[in-house]
Amino acid sequence: MNSVIAVTPLPQSGVVKGACPHDCPDTCALRITVEDGRVTKVQGQAEHGSTHGALCTKVSRYAERSYHPERVLHPLKRVSGKQEAPRFVRVSWAEALGDIAARLKAIADPQAILPYSYAGTMGLLQGESIAARFFNKLGASQLERTICASAGGAALAATYGHKVGMHLRFFAESRLILIWGSNSIASNLHFWTFANQAKRAGAKLICIDPRKTETADKCHQHIALLPGTDGALALGLMHELIAHDWLDHDYLARHVDGWQELRERALQWPPERVAEVCGITAAEVRGLARDYGTIAPAAIRLNYGMQRVRGGGNAVRLIALLPCLTGAWRQRAGGLLLSSSGWFAPHKNVDALELPQLRAGRPSRLINMSTIGDALLREAGPEFGPKVEALIVYNSNPVAVAPESPKVVRGFQRADLFTVVLEHFMTDTADQANYVLPATTQLEHLDLHTSYGHTDVLINEPAIAPLGETKSNTQIFRELAAAMGFSDACFADTDEQLARQAFRDSVDFEALRTQGWWSLPLAEAPFAEGQFLTPNGRAQAAGADFVPNYESARSAPALAARYPLAMISPPARNFLNSSFVNVKSLRDIEGEPLLEMHADDAAARGLADGTMVRAFNDRGSYLCRLAVSARARPGVVNGLGVWWRKLGAGGSNVNEVTHQGLTDMGHAPVFYDCLVEVAAA
């Protein structure tokens, strides 16, 4: 099982096995065609069980991204002031690395140095391997990586013991599927394939989402609840399951702790109360509960949109307990899937990749990536520690994606902040850098991938040589470690050696490299007999409750009087977070930044479809085009994101108006917990 992953010669022509690196649950297996040393086609592997030959529009054009004429191919050094229009000059790698190392060495307290990264690539090697070793050796501050999924992850861990759920492929056999907080057609395409199989076989599909998404269009029913009220709806469903005795009493008795406490709480949420809080009808609550309580097998595909509010963690906990009440887990086509990433935990060897022992017991503070705006503007003090003096950004674009971007921009524009950005393009964040270091794309390096939507490990082989002077993240941090004078042998590990270290003996690398993927051996119905990953093997229900938003008409009436519209910022269909925004063919499909508004709300403000408007609150103002649309429910506007600020009207994007409040669990951002007003620009 510990077989060596040898270096594979790059083909001048042929087909290379790859994996999609992006922050998406599908983690597709790729078939990369190379002709005369150039990638000509990127397709899905037809033989892979969840990819089955299909790719989303974005990744099918991946070669266009790698060969983009605006690709950063050489190290760049800033020659303009931080408050001025960015100007850079090309420098050598030796000059860039030497100057960066000198600047970092001059910082007296290494905790004044902060890495900032997330899921620009989900790879185990090009993510946090040599990079983590570098920052551990340096003794830098640590980043709390929360910006996407930590509320839901903490909730699943509290309820099931880890981020685990049912198998993707068995949704095809479900008779009822609740698609909750997910625009699956846009952001989870391969799940939708299985859901559509179930639909054709007679299953009922119900979409629960404030926005009437493309997925809602294809479901039998759409329940358009208010943002942040998902936990109340879950309690209302429980109320009806109890009232009509649609319960599996044996499963509850044997496999759930805290049921009596949860039962008492749910009985306080009759359909009428739920309807008032959620902005739907009591009949919708009763009908949904009847379907869920009487149709089997019933499955829930939960996604991360609904946890981006103050009470997001508790909402996930409550929804995750629904299949425990009905015993849906007894069948392989019943249960719930939010994330499958926890299934890989026993197999991954994260400590071997990141070597936390390099920190050698030195203290380190933890800085939340979701509050980077406040962190960069904070002075040194006993509670916070040293002021952040240097920032190294890779696999992320915080100036565009972090909440409350006016503060983020001011922080990045500090004249005394030294910033290094590893990038493919001159993003909003790269524009703020002192140095931009050119990184390889997925077509140019080796990597290994797990998934949070299925249970396969995938390998990505390099298909072409690095373009220009680009280097992989692993190589950049190796060379930066050498420039710092770090002589530890671990910084000489090759990518092939890292790949051997990434997993324990349970993963067969021979099979992985030969086939391109390797499937975890898991039971078809993992919780049919309980055996959750909690210490006692039982699901945990105690303490789960509805938590209201920070900003809503009910929780903040004075604020809502000034800013009466709830705003959510779901992803634009043809972008993935802030990736692909600069791919012209995809941007042409999207058109321009849009704010969707219901016709009643537009009429009340005298706003016409297609006009330029500003969405604003005390934090900022976002300029965009208005789309009067049935996709928005009354009282809620949808600011589709995440556009690069410099490609948006007025140099802004939707995060001008979001705030840095955090969720009830997991310290995650609350992008969809946001009140605004909208007026003509």
Side-chain angles (χ1 to χ4, degrees):
M1 298 267 184
N2 285 319
S3 55
V4 172
I5 296 186
V7 178
T8 302
L10 295 175
Q12 278 301 298
S13 296
V15 175
V16 177
K17 300 180 181 72
C20 176
H22 289 289
D23 188 1
C24 166
D26 292 19
T27 316
C28 293
L30 305 182
R31 185 178 189 274
I32 303 165
T33 302
V34 179
E35 297 178 6
D36 297 325
R38 185 178 178 89
V39 173
T40 58
K41 191 178 296 184
V42 178
Q43 300 166 287
Q45 284 277 9
E47 299 81 11
H48 184 235
S50 61
T51 304
H52 42 70
L55 294 180
C56 67
T57 304
K58 301 178 280 288
V59 177
S60 64
R61 304 183 190 211
Y62 199 88
E64 183 180 344
R65 188 172 189 273
S66 292
Y67 292 118
H68 198 291
E70 296 173 1
R71 177 94 182 268
V72 177
L73 297 176
H74 310 281
L76 301 175
K77 178 181 179 179
R78 187 183 200 92
V79 293
S80 59
K82 285 288 188 76
Q83 301 286 338
E84 303 171 16
R87 288 183 293 113
F88 292 84
V89 296
R90 177 177 170 180
V91 295
S92 69
W93 271 105
E95 179 182 344
L97 293 171
D99 193 19
I100 293 167
R103 294 289 297 268
L104 296 181
K105 288 178 182 179
I107 295 173
D109 188 341
Q111 291 190 82
I113 303 169
L114 178 68
Y116 194 103
S117 67
Y118 198 65
T121 174
M122 299 287 282
L124 299 182
L125 309 189
Q126 308 305 333
E128 306 300 330
S129 61
I130 298 291
R133 294 179 184 186
F134 176 81
F135 291 111
N136 283 330
K137 177 68 176 180
L138 191 61
S141 286
Q142 295 183 341
L143 187 72
E144 188 177 15
R145 293 178 170 86
T146 62
I147 203 161
C148 180
S150 61
L156 286 185
T159 310
Y160 296 161
H162 219 309
K163 293 181 284 186
V164 289
M166 60 182 286
H167 290 278
L168 177 69
R169 65 186 183 276
F170 295 135
F171 277 94
E173 302 171 9
S174 304
R175 303 300 296 167
L176 174 72
I177 302 177
L178 307 187
I179 303 175
W180 202 321
S182 177
N183 185 8
S184 304
I185 289 176
S187 60
N188 194 187
L189 179 64
H190 296 86
F191 157 74
W192 178 252
T193 302
F194 292 111
N196 217 22
Q197 289 177 26
K199 182 183 178 184
R200 290 196 297 269
K204 183 173 185 179
L205 273 56
I206 301 175
C207 180
I208 304 170
D209 198 303
R211 181 175 183 255
K212 192 175 189 296
T213 62
E214 295 88 346
T215 303
D217 292 341
K218 302 295 185 181
C219 290
H220 296 95
Q221 184 182 3
H222 173 220
I223 297 177
L225 76 178
L226 288 167
T229 63
D230 305 81
L233 179 56
L235 285 166
L237 299 184
M238 291 179 186
H239 179 283
E240 293 299 282
L241 295 176
I242 295 166
H244 295 276
D245 198 25
W246 294 322
L247 300 171
D248 187 327
H249 295 282
D250 175 68
Y251 197 92
L252 284 165
R254 294 198 295 129
H255 305 310
V256 180
D257 280 344
W259 162 234
Q260 288 305 317
E261 176 189 324
L262 180 62
R263 183 181 186 277
E264 292 173 10
R265 185 161 288 129
L267 289 175
Q268 300 169 20
W269 286 88
E272 289 74 19
R273 181 185 179 190
V274 174
E276 182 185 3
V277 170
C278 295
I280 57 179
T281 67
E284 286 177 300
V285 180
R286 292 190 176 95
L288 180 60
R290 183 180 304 107
D291 285 341
Y292 190 71
T294 61
I295 301 174
I300 301 173
R301 182 59 173 108
L302 191 60
N303 216 335
Y304 286 110
M306 51 72 57
Q307 51 112 69
R308 295 191 174 114
V309 292
R310 180 190 181 191
N314 266 278
V316 169
R317 287 205 68 201
L318 291 166
I319 297 166
L321 287 162
L322 287 169
C324 298
L325 269 65
T326 61
W329 283 117
R330 293 186 187 276
Q331 298 167 286
R332 69 181 191 178
L336 175 142
L337 178 62
L338 171 60
S339 174
S340 60
S341 62
W343 291 124
F344 297 94
H347 306 277
K348 288 197 294 186
N349 197 350
V350 174
D351 284 354
L353 285 178
E354 301 184 2
L355 298 181
Q357 62 267 32
L358 290 171
R359 197 163 285 272
R362 289 170 293 176
S364 178
R365 64 177 170 183
L366 191 64
I367 295 179
N368 192 325
M369 69 184 306
S370 299
T371 56
I372 188 63
D374 283 342
L376 292 180
L377 295 174
R378 193 175 289 131
E379 296 295 329
E383 292 186 4
F384 179 67
K387 185 176 183 178
V388 177
E389 297 180 46
L391 191 64
I392 301 180
V393 181
Y394 53 104
N395 300 336
S396 190
N397 183 12
V399 173
V401 304
E404 202 166 348
S405 56
K407 285 186 175 181
V408 180
V409 172
R410 290 203 304 275
F412 269 83
Q413 288 183 342
R414 279 175 34 208
D416 62 340
L417 178 70
F418 180 68
T419 304
V420 178
V421 177
L422 284 61
E423 252 301 352
H424 303 140
F425 302 103
M426 293 303 295
T427 63
D428 292 330
T429 304
D431 282 345
Q432 305 297 333
N434 295 87
Y435 278 96
V436 180
L437 303 181
T440 49
T441 67
Q442 191 76 342
L443 302 181
E444 301 157 277
H445 56 231
L446 176 69
D447 217 336
L448 298 176
H449 291 263
T450 58
S451 173
Y452 62 94
H454 58 71
T455 53
D456 294 342
V457 178
L458 281 75
I459 190 167
N460 182 80
E461 304 277 12
I464 55 174
L467 301 182
E469 291 186 284
T470 61
K471 299 178 186 286
S472 66
N473 286 354
T474 49
Q475 186 60 23
I476 291 172
F477 281 106
R478 283 187 196 99
E479 295 185 13
L480 189 53
M484 293 291 292
F486 298 163
S487 58
D488 308 66
C490 64
F491 291 109
D493 284 351
T494 65
D495 283 5
E496 285 75 17
Q497 289 170 319
L498 291 172
R500 294 199 303 273
Q501 298 162 12
F503 291 101
R504 304 183 192 279
D505 289 349
S506 55
V507 174
D508 187 339
F509 278 111
E510 293 286 356
L512 174 61
R513 175 152 253 173
T514 299
Q515 184 171 249
W517 61 88
W518 185 84
S519 301
L520 297 182
L522 294 170
E524 290 186 347
F527 306 128
E529 295 298 328
Q531 298 179 331
F532 292 94
L533 304 187
T534 54
N536 67 359
R538 295 163 66 89
Q540 302 297 308
D545 199 1
F546 171 66
V547 178
N549 279 4
Y550 291 107
E551 298 189 359
S552 72
R554 296 178 66 86
S555 60
L559 187 66
R562 291 191 293 140
Y563 305 117
L565 296 169
M567 188 194 77
I568 61 174
S569 44
R573 182 170 183 174
N574 292 286
F575 305 152
L576 202 159
N577 302 322
S578 74
S579 295
F580 298 99
V581 180
N582 66 319
V583 174
K584 186 177 185 302
S585 62
L586 295 172
R587 198 166 70 247
D588 287 347
I589 298 171
E590 281 301 320
E592 61 184 320
L594 293 178
L595 185 78
E596 297 172 342
M597 177 182 281
H598 190 273
D600 293 349
D601 293 325
R605 290 161 177 79
L607 300 173
D609 180 62
T611 59
M612 293 299 292
V613 296
R614 61 187 186 98
F616 62 94
N617 55 26
D618 291 341
R619 294 178 290 274
S621 180
Y622 168 45
L623 190 66
C624 56
R625 185 80 60 187
L626 182 68
V628 178
S629 171
R631 296 209 179 279
R633 60 152 290 158
V636 179
V637 291
N638 310 318
L640 303 182
V642 178
W643 284 77
W644 291 5
R645 291 166 54 86
K646 63 183 176 182
L647 295 178
S652 67
N653 72 11
V654 72
N655 281 319
E656 288 285 322
V657 294
T658 56
H659 62 84
Q660 293 180 82
L662 299 177
T663 53
D664 53 345
M665 303 175 67
H667 310 143
V670 292
F671 291 109
Y672 298 178
D673 187 342
C674 176
L675 289 177
V676 299
E677 181 55 288
V678 178

